[in-house]
Amino acid sequence: MILVTGGAGFIGSNFVLDWLKQSDESVINFDKLTYAGNLDNLSMIKSDPRHKFVKGDICDTAHISQTLSTYKPRAVIHFAAESHVDRSIRSPIDFINTNINGTFSLLEAARYYCSSLSDVAREAFRFLNISTDEVYGSLGPDDAPFSETTPYAPNSPYSASKAAADHLVRAYHHTYGLPTLTTNCSNNYGPYHFPEKFIPLIIANALAGNSLPIYGDGQNIRDWLYVGDHCNAIRRVLAHGKLGEVYNIGGSNERSNLEVAHILCDILDDLIPKRGIDGVGTYRDQITYITDRPGHDRRYAVNVGKIERELGWKATESFDSGMKKTVQWFLEHRDWLMASTEGGHKEYGDRIGD
Ligand code: NAD
Ligand code: DAU
């Protein structure tokens, strides 16, 4: 079996659902269930005996060690993190605790677990660290996309904490021979995306008739990847990645935030037309420019040459079809969206539901 941390969050839950669709291998899902963790994401596999949920904090080394020695997974896939840049600016402490100290605890537990394994099991063991393209900093308009050799230059407490975690993972491979792999991925979107993040926030606010908040001039660029393609890439890296190596993952879909908001409004206009005073209207009317995020990175773009060349991975979802699928999913899961918005609202006060 494999052990996943953070498997009740956005990408982790998509990964667990995908994994069990494609494989009979069981999954231990170790998650603290913070505001971002939601067992409803996994309701489809509620009675699937191949999924075992363990509520726990990755900072708790003893609990992780006990979980590892009980279930003896052949791999750890580490998604658990505090993941929202705006929250890291408001209150960095949880990011330092979970992303740095938590990754450290997990590495320590994995190191001792590995040393207890037989030669054959140790040889097969993998520790896959799920990281972000944000560790590379911000690109100018004409800069080449981030490659695996781009120097780290994190700009937010979130990205700095993820960079620290990546360095620890690298050190555990070089110093202790822990069989690690790291992936650095661009912005994901798709089902179960928590509505504090841009795409689901725009959808939730549009449907609620609230303003659609665009930071600054709306010209910041992100490289969007459908979450299912990220899950495929992770499986590929786990199966075929070279130990100690880093693989960048991205969608090769650079879009400004304003473009993304326009696309979402247009899809919604199509699927669930809005009625204005005179019977016509567009969700675009709800777009509002607000004060920029401090230190807001201008542009991310990822060079996916290495993972395509060496592991044969390629994103399959086009941006248009992925966005349509995503809006459709949120329309079909309005209860999930409402519940998540309310849950996040309690924690996050004024930002959600603007
Ligand atoms: P998320 O915030 O939706 O989910 C995080 C999950 O981790 C939640 O289930 C939460 O309960 C759990 N968690 C948080 N702290 C924990 C702790 N101390 N112990 C155990 N569990 C804990 O995050 P996401 O967007 O799914 O991101 C998953 C991973 O992928 C993160 O490491 C993130 O940095 C990385 N990543 C995300 C994106 C993206 O666009 N969302 C892109 C690239 C990389
Ligand atoms: O690049 C990968 C990263 O992508 C992940 O590592 C992070 O975990 C994930 O949260 C995401 O970070 P971003 O900061 O890029 O995502 P977010 O959805 O918060 O914002 C996307 C863009 O939209 C960014 O330029 C800020 C802007 N934005 C965001 C919000 C929430 C707005 O204009 N208005 C908003 O209300």
Side-chain angles (χ1 to χ4, degrees):
M1 60 177 64
I2 59 166
L3 185 144
V4 160
T5 69
F10 163 45
I11 303 174
S13 61
N14 274 283
F15 180 82
V16 170
L17 294 173
D18 260 26
W19 180 270
L20 292 177
K21 249 188 233 160
Q22 319 222 5
S23 148
D24 274 336
E25 194 175 11
S26 298
V27 179
I28 306 301
N29 187 348
F30 190 95
D31 194 301
K32 185 180 173 184
L33 294 183
T34 66
Y35 78 95
N38 184 352
L39 286 178
D40 286 348
N41 298 3
L42 301 160
S43 59
M44 255 190 288
I45 52 167
K46 208 155 95 192
S47 42
D48 190 326
R50 296 171 303 163
H51 178 242
K52 164 89 186 147
F53 183 77
V54 178
K55 186 169 190 299
D57 187 334
I58 54 165
C59 297
D60 184 347
T61 316
H63 193 183
I64 301 162
S65 286
Q66 183 213 333
T67 309
L68 288 172
S69 65
T70 304
Y71 294 103
K72 304 211 176 344
R74 68 163 177 98
V76 170
I77 304 165
H78 175 34
F79 293 94
E82 287 294 333
S83 67
H84 190 37
V85 174
D86 292 329
R87 284 180 190 259
S88 84
I89 294 166
R90 279 198 178 181
S91 176
I93 182 76
D94 289 343
F95 290 73
I96 305 307
N97 284 338
T98 287
N99 299 0
I100 305 179
N101 296 332
T103 302
F104 167 66
S105 293
L106 200 57
L107 285 164
E108 277 292 272
R111 175 160 82 94
Y112 284 105
Y113 169 65
C114 231
S115 67
S116 74
L117 295 173
S118 67
D119 289 351
V120 176
R122 195 176 325 115
E123 188 79 4
F125 183 73
R126 297 288 180 271
F127 184 104
L128 205 173
N129 171 45
I130 305 298
S131 190
T132 171
D133 61 351
E134 298 200 11
V135 296
Y136 298 121
S138 184
L139 293 168
D142 301 321
D143 289 341
F146 302 130
S147 76
E148 288 78 1
T149 54
T150 302
Y152 273 33
N155 289 318
S156 71
Y158 164 69
S159 52
S161 68
K162 291 294 290 184
D166 293 1
H167 291 319
L168 283 169
V169 171
R170 177 187 159 90
Y172 270 64
H173 174 70
H174 281 269
T175 306
Y176 304 114
L178 193 71
T180 64
L181 297 154
T182 289
T183 55
N184 292 90
C185 189
S186 66
N187 287 62
N188 284 216
Y189 68 99
Y192 305 112
H193 204 178
F194 192 78
E196 65 186 352
K197 306 284 168 56
F198 185 60
I199 286 183
L201 179 74
I202 294 293
I203 298 171
N205 281 14
L207 294 173
N210 294 329
S211 62
L212 311 182
I214 306 285
Y215 293 162
D217 62 3
Q219 294 309 315
N220 299 66
I221 288 172
R222 297 292 181 266
D223 176 356
W224 293 99
L225 177 71
Y226 189 69
V227 65
D229 277 323
H230 189 188
C231 295
N232 287 338
I234 294 168
R235 278 201 305 276
R236 191 69 63 112
V237 172
L238 181 66
H240 305 292
K242 232 170 102 194
L243 293 187
E245 292 277 313
V246 171
Y247 296 90
N248 282 354
I249 306 169
S252 307
N253 279 312
E254 289 187 55
R255 297 285 188 285
S256 73
N257 295 333
L258 190 60
E259 276 179 277
V260 170
H262 281 163
I263 292 167
L264 290 169
C265 288
D266 295 350
I267 298 172
L268 284 167
D269 281 338
D270 224 31
L271 295 178
I272 178 162
K274 178 174 156 155
R275 297 201 192 291
I277 300 162
D278 49 3
V280 282
T282 162
Y283 293 95
R284 287 192 186 206
D285 295 340
Q286 290 168 230
I287 289 176
T288 312
Y289 291 90
I290 64 168
T291 311
D292 208 352
R293 170 187 281 176
H296 194 175
D297 285 340
R298 194 66 174 166
R299 174 177 165 238
Y300 303 143
V302 173
N303 177 338
V304 290
K306 179 175 175 182
I307 190 169
E308 287 190 353
R309 221 175 27 251
E310 295 185 10
L311 304 185
W313 173 84
K314 227 178 176 23
T316 55
E317 194 73 55
S318 77
F319 190 61
D320 282 354
S321 65
M323 288 289 268
K324 276 190 199 124
K325 245 183 173 166
T326 300
V327 173
Q328 194 78 55
W329 186 89
F330 278 99
L331 289 175
E332 285 162 9
H333 295 80
R334 304 260 309 242
D335 290 352
W336 182 94
L337 186 58
M338 294 267 279
S340 303
T341 308
E342 275 160 24
H345 202 14
K346 260 185 254 136
E347 292 268 338
Y348 204 36
D350 51 330
R351 272 308 286 114
I352 288 191
D354 212 34

